[in-house]
Each structure stands twice: as structure tokens, then as C-alpha cells.
Amino acid sequence: MLFTPTVVKNLLKKPATRKYPFEVREPFPKYRGELVIDIDRCIFCSSCERKCPSQCIAVDRDKGTWQCDPYACIYCGYCVDVCPVKCLSMKDVHRKPSTEKTEWIEQGTPPRHKKKETPKDAAPKGTAPVLDKSAAAAEEAAPAATEVAPEAKAEERPAAKDKKKDEKKGKK
Amino acid sequence: MATTVIPFGPQHPVLPEPVHLTLKVEDEIVKEAIPALGYVHRGLEKLCEIRDFNQMITVCERVCGICSMIHGACYSQSIEELMGIEIPDRAKLLRVIWSELHRMHSHLLWLGLFADAFGFEALFMQFWKIRERIMDINEATAGSRVIVSVNIIGGVRADLSPDQLRWILSELDIVEKEVRELQDTMMNDYTIKTRTVGIGVMTKAQAWELGAAGPTLRGSGVAQDMRQQGYGGYAFLDFEPVVETAGDCWARSTVRFREVLQSADLVRQAISKLPEGELAVKVKGNPPEGEVYHRVEQPRGECMYYIRGNGTKNLDRLRIRTPTFANIPPLLAMLPECELADVPVIVLSIDPCISCTER
Amino acid sequence: MKGKVIDVTLDNVVGEVMNMKNDGQRLVSFSTYNAGEGKIGILYHFDKALENTHLRLVADMDKPIPSVSGVYFSALLVENEIRDQWDVKFDGLVLDFNRTLLLDPEVTKVPLANNLKIGPKN
């Protein structure tokens, strides 16, 4: 008899829990769920690599690769704060559990050093196809990153860079 | 009477973490307890040799899973003291808000586990249901449920918008109302009283001499709380430590229960006094040569940091003394002459956090 | 560093700690640091009414240090920890784990004595 009001209340109330896999709560917008990189905007400055507390990021400036060990990442978001071009961001949904260990390597276009440009300029036709390949590889690695057709984009960018180079040459 | 040796742990249903106690038992009465630690020793203090002083914040946050915010704040405050940095008032009070939210969810977690230790499953679920609201606040405002990671040297890196502040206040009202509904059960229930009153008694003099910390100390009638020092934003707030005098398991659980309500009050005070302004100041250079000793109050008690800088980006020495480390000797004094069936309740009443202890 | 620092030596450390206890101070903990080649610095932190007092002892690592666990029982854990981390022996420990409080018995390297360098990953 003592518990009748409580029992009636509890029968009419909604449960406090959710049926998780079928019913998922809306994520909070600021949640640090998964690190994502827009590799096309990355300038390979290695700021994230230096700042990372768990040393899970490896940036290779010459090859144009950005590598992250997702199992070492602690999702602190320091790299997002430090990135000068804001190409790193945090998705508000965390990664689903997986049965295999995966590697996460992003291939982008390495920036050209001012000093290194001079020898490469001798054979501009030779460098262009290499860049095409690397950009295409980046598209393959992250197919959902952009909707632009890979070939069109790959052709566009080196051309634009060549133009800039020509301008610089002219100034010299 | 013949002595029997009964091992308690390292895996025991009341504790999610591994600690071992060798109990020497005569009949049903415990005569002596010898601890054995070292099952989760990680050697975090050594990491300051290769991680720079900014990266060490994330390491300190991971000393303990439950009071991570306060570890981070304590480390940042120590480094700021070493480098002579004065952080903005807004940053100080924001640190207080997240710290007190952490204290609330830690105490609610403990109250649930304590109820679970003497088999009160329904109460356990109620406390954890309430706790979920605070975890949601953490997740929505700072980006993570437990390791909020808001501290940087020189301030904080997350801000609370007016909308979020209003939402926190309304959530706190619900939390406080729901906690008060459980007050009568937690303090006056017949079953709980028979399991806790007069169990594991520690007198005021004993607690002081054995170096107890936090609720274990205040449950024995010593009004000492590190927040009285007025470090950080606590200088702006009205604060009075919660004290109980009985010194038994009931007193310790009551201290924690009342601290949940007190923390809710401190969050409200901090929000009402939150000034506009910068979140962080720019920090230049490395920590200079010198040493700093800083103490803060964590949910489990007083936590001490000793830091020695050497002028480079790496620290010379980082020493962390966590509250449970101080509370193990009092536990060893509480256990003799208690019944074997009460051991889980007494062990849990100091709120042991073994990963903290071993770092 | 906040609080008063008093220098002590191996001979009078136990006596000074006893004085602190008679004064009604609470032992917070010890801190250790490397005080030059083969030397260890130990700070004994005390607290009374939120006031800090520290005793500083600089001693050789190869000689045993008198234990204060007879005065303050709570010193036993931290002295065992120092035994683990620096391989410094304490005379008269009430409960001696002999370097196995945190470490396993088969560990032979002393972690904090700066003979064990951790390098970067890989």
C-alpha cells in the first residue's frame, strides 16, 4: 500500500533510458567525436604534429602525406585549435567500432618550397603528371571529401600554380 | 582463535579498479589489513621528461578519469604560479563551474556505487540517472563527457554562452530537486543505516594524524577543505566546508551527499558572478627554474602537485599526490575490528580511486 | 613556493618531524627530486590550518634515510613509493614492500633516478 503512488507514477512515466542501437540521441554540436581533415587545404606546416600530446600525427612535407594513428588519438582537439588554415575539424559523431585495425593516411599536394622551385622549374612538364597522380590518390583516399571530378581538379591546381610561378619568374 | 587469511581483490565486485588487501581474520572479525598496490601503475610522472609543459595538461587530465578537470586545473594553476601569470577572472570562474560540475558527477557516481555496495540497486540506478544530466552538460559545453579538456596554460579554451548558462541553471534545478527526493532514503533509510552507522569509525584525532583527506577527513569532524584557501575563482565565492562529526560510513556518505547540493550552489554563484572578458592570456616562454607546491580540493579530497621547472620546455619533476593515496592509511586503521561483511562498505566509503593512487 | 621551508639533515630529520607532530601538524606527503649527481632531495610537506611548512632534506641516494613512518604511520606508503622510484633505502620502515609497492619484483631499472631515458615513440 505504501508504494502504490510510486508504482502508479512509474507505470505512467516514460523510461529514463533509450533503446540504444535503435534509438540514438541527437549529438551535441560541440562534441569531439572524430578528427577530420580537409587535405586539400592543408599546407603541411606540421603545427598539429608538434602540438599533439599523444604524438599520433605524422606530417611529411616532401611527400605531402598527413598521417594519423586513430588508435593513439585522444580527441583533445588541440590540433584543431592550432591549425593555421583551419583544415582540421571535429565531427560530432564518434567512430563506429571496427573489427580490424585501420591506417589513416591522407595524400595531398605538397607545397613547393621557394628554394626548391628553381631546379624543378627546369622541367615543369615532368612535375605536372606526378602532381596529377598524388591529387588523384587523395581523391581516392577520401572519396566523400568533394564532389568535383578528380581529373578536372587535378588539372586545375598545377596549372594555377604554374601561373603563379611564371609571375614570380617575371618579377625576378 | 586461529587466524585465517582472506584475500580481498584485486578483482572484487564492489570495485571496478584493482587493489588487493590481505585480511587477517579471526572468526568473522578482521584483525589486520595489508594493502598491495601496483596493478595499474602507469608511470605518468616520468612523462614530463619527453612531453612539453603544454602537452602535460592532457597527461594530468588522464591521471584520474573522474576528476580529470580538477587535475588539469591544478596543473595549469601550478604552472601559472611558476611562470607568474595572472589569468582573467572569467577563466577562473569558468574553471570553477566545470570543476564543481565534475565534483557533482563524481559524488553522484560514488553515491550510486555506495548504494550498490550494500545491495541497494534501485538507489544506485536513481543516482546514475541524475548524473546523466551533468554528463550531458559537460558534453554539450566542453565537448566530452568526462575528460572535458578545457584547461590551457593561461586560461580556458571553451566558453559558455548566455543560452548555455541558462540551460545549465535549469538543468541544475532539476538535478537538485531529484537529489533532494533521495535525501530521505540516503540519510534515514533503515537498511542503509544498519549497514553504515557505526561502521568503520575513525575519530577526529585519528583522521588528522593519519593524514586523511577530503570527505574522509570532514566526515570525522575536521572542517578542512582546500577550497577555503581561495585558489582560482573560489576567492569570489561564499564557501563553508561540509562537516559531519560521527566519523563512520554514514557520516562520510552524508558529507558527499551534502557536497552535491553545495556544488550546485557554487555553480549558481559562479554563474551569477561570471564577468565578461577574455578567456585566456598569451603565454610566452618556458617555465623558469623554480619549484611550486599547489593544493586543490578534488571530489576525493586534497590533491597536491609539486612541480620543478628548469627553464626548458620540459619539467624537471612533476609529483602528484592524489587523495586516495592519503586515504589508504586511514583505511588500514578503520578495518581492524570490523566484520568481514562490512569490508566492502568501508573500502568504498573512502571513495577509492586506484588509478589515481598509482598514477 | 608557498609556505616556510626548513632545511634538515639526516641526523635530525626524525626529531624535526617529531616536533611537527607535537605541534599538531598533519603530514600531507613527501616530494622528491633529483638534487644533482647521486643526491636526492626530499621535501616533507606539512599542513596546519591551511598553512604550509616544508622540511627539505638533501641526502645521498646510496645511504639509507631514517624512516619517519614510526612517527607518522601514513608515511609508509610514500616511503615505499620513493623506494620504488629512486631505489633509496629507508631505515625502520614499519611495512617494507622492498621495491614492490608499484613495481613488479622482476623490474630492475629504477624509473625516476634518471638512468632510464624514455625516447620518442617508434
Side-chain angles (χ1 to χ4, degrees), chain A residues 46-78:
Chain A
S46 305
S47 295
C48 45
E49 185 185 348
R50 280 193 299 273
K51 201 84 180 173
C52 180
S54 66
Q55 302 178 346
C56 70
I57 300 175
V59 182
D60 194 326
R61 201 188 164 99
D62 296 326
K63 287 187 194 136
T65 54
W66 185 93
Q67 192 178 350
C68 174
D69 182 357
Y71 302 93
C73 179
I74 55 171
Y75 303 95
C76 58
Y78 284 10

Side-chain angles (χ1 to χ4, degrees), chain C residues 68-87:
Chain C
V68 299
S69 59
V71 184
Y72 281 101
F73 175 70
S74 54
L76 94 143
L77 270 186
V78 65
E79 285 186 346
N80 273 302
E81 193 188 80
I82 295 169
R83 175 95 176 82
D84 273 28
Q85 292 177 332
W86 298 88
D87 201 14

Side-chain angles (χ1 to χ4, degrees), chain B residues 73-328:
Chain B
C74 180
Y75 174 79
S76 312
Q77 279 162 1
S78 312
I79 294 284
E80 281 151 15
E81 191 184 317
L82 187 62
M83 297 174 76
I85 299 166
E86 183 65 27
I87 68 164
D89 285 352
R90 187 175 175 86
K92 283 182 186 168
L93 281 167
L94 283 172
R95 276 184 189 171
V96 169
I97 293 175
W98 275 302
S99 298
E100 292 306 317
L101 286 171
H102 258 78
R103 194 181 314 279
M104 283 174 83
H105 91 63
S106 169
H107 280 343
L108 287 169
L109 173 117
W110 179 84
L111 286 164
L113 287 176
F114 192 55
D116 193 41
F118 44 70
F120 204 149
E121 293 282 336
L123 192 61
F124 157 68
M125 289 177 199
Q126 292 294 329
F127 275 120
W128 280 43
K129 186 185 92 184
I130 303 170
R131 178 174 178 259
E132 206 54 33
R133 285 189 190 275
I134 297 169
M135 309 308 280
D136 279 354
I137 295 178
N138 279 346
E139 191 176 336
T141 56
S144 187
R145 279 163 60 88
V146 179
I147 298 182
V148 291
S149 199
V150 290
N151 290 297
I152 48 172
I153 308 290
V156 289
R157 65 197 191 106
D159 198 5
L160 294 174
S161 66
D163 281 343
Q164 278 174 329
L165 291 175
R166 269 195 295 279
W167 176 63
I168 292 176
L169 288 176
S170 67
E171 289 284 292
L172 278 183
D173 287 341
I174 303 173
V175 168
E176 188 168 346
K177 188 179 139 267
E178 288 183 345
V179 169
R180 280 197 194 282
E181 278 171 13
L182 300 178
Q183 184 166 1
D184 189 43
T185 317
M186 197 67 210
M187 290 184 187
N188 301 325
D189 187 85
Y190 172 75
T191 323
I192 295 179
K193 277 195 146 176
T194 23
R195 285 310 300 275
T196 56
V197 173
I199 305 289
V201 182
M202 191 170 54
T203 61
K204 189 172 176 177
Q206 251 184 330
W208 186 259
E209 194 197 311
L210 290 167
T216 315
L217 184 63
R218 293 194 286 279
S220 294
V222 183
Q224 175 156 324
D225 192 312
M226 288 307 128
R227 287 173 282 175
Q228 286 168 304
Q229 293 179 120
Y231 63 85
Y234 291 101
F236 305 112
L237 309 177
D238 275 343
F239 176 75
E240 188 90 9
V242 174
V243 186
E244 291 284 332
T245 48
D248 54 5
C249 291
W250 183 87
R252 289 189 279 276
S253 74
T254 310
V255 167
R256 291 197 177 91
F257 189 91
R258 286 171 54 200
E259 279 190 1
V260 174
L261 302 173
Q262 186 197 37
S263 291
D265 181 51
L266 283 173
V267 175
R268 286 200 196 97
Q269 281 189 40
I271 288 179
S272 70
K273 290 180 179 164
L274 195 64
E276 289 296 316
E278 289 287 306
L279 288 179
V281 288
K282 269 252 180 284
V283 177
K284 284 203 182 103
N286 293 324
E289 268 182 51
E291 48 190 2
V292 61
Y293 168 79
H294 192 62
R295 291 188 296 168
V296 297
E297 183 74 19
Q298 285 197 332
R300 282 158 192 77
E302 158 205 45
C303 171
M304 179 210 101
Y305 269 60
Y306 170 77
I307 289 175
R308 229 178 135 80
N310 56 1
T312 66
K313 64 177 183 162
N314 294 327
L315 299 171
D316 217 24
R317 179 82 168 100
L318 167 70
R319 155 108 178 114
I320 306 166
R321 201 242 32 202
T322 53
T324 311
F325 196 83
N327 278 334
I328 286 181

Side-chain angles (χ1 to χ4, degrees), chain A residues 119-128:
Chain A
K120 273 183 188 172
D121 281 347
K125 277 175 192 170
T127 45

Side-chain angles (χ1 to χ4, degrees), chain A:
Chain A
M1 275 301 120
L2 186 66
F3 292 109
T4 319
T6 321
V7 168
V8 172
K9 228 200 276 174
N10 283 346
L11 274 175
L12 298 173
K13 257 200 308 204
K14 257 190 5 187
T17 49
R18 278 181 297 273
K19 290 175 178 154
Y20 167 63
F22 312 108
E23 199 181 321
V24 183
R25 187 201 62 194
E26 278 289 300
F28 290 110
K30 271 174 93 180
Y31 179 59
R32 295 191 296 269
E34 188 183 338
L35 184 65
V36 282
I37 180 165
D38 181 2
I39 193 72
D40 293 336
R41 272 157 64 201
C42 181
I43 55 167
F44 301 95
C45 64
S46 305
S47 295
C48 45
E49 185 185 348
R50 280 193 299 273
K51 201 84 180 173
C52 180
S54 66
Q55 302 178 346
C56 70
I57 300 175
V59 182
D60 194 326
R61 201 188 164 99
D62 296 326
K63 287 187 194 136
T65 54
W66 185 93
Q67 192 178 350
C68 174
D69 182 357
Y71 302 93
C73 179
I74 55 171
Y75 303 95
C76 58
Y78 284 10
C79 48
V80 178
D81 289 353
V82 81
C83 185
V85 289
K86 304 281 164 231
C87 69
L88 286 165
S89 57
M90 281 280 180
K91 218 158 66 174
D92 58 7
V93 191
H94 58 80
R95 197 181 270 111
K96 289 276 174 292
S98 65
T99 51
E100 287 169 8
K101 220 170 174 177
T102 48
E103 270 201 343
W104 181 21
I105 304 173
E106 295 273 354
Q107 175 75 55
T109 323
R112 295 182 183 185
H113 298 281
K114 277 178 189 169
K115 281 176 188 168
K116 279 184 183 173
E117 269 170 20
T118 348
K120 273 183 188 172
D121 281 347
K125 277 175 192 170
T127 45
V130 177
L131 281 172
D132 279 0
K133 261 185 204 167
S134 59
E139 293 296 335
E140 273 170 22
T146 166
E147 286 170 10
V148 184
E151 295 91 28
K153 214 176 175 191
E155 273 168 21
E156 231 172 70
R157 211 178 309 118
K161 283 204 171 166
D162 282 342
K163 254 188 201 171
K164 271 187 192 168
K165 238 187 291 164
D166 289 339
E167 279 169 21
K168 275 180 194 168
K169 256 187 185 175
K171 274 176 195 170
K172 277 177 190 171

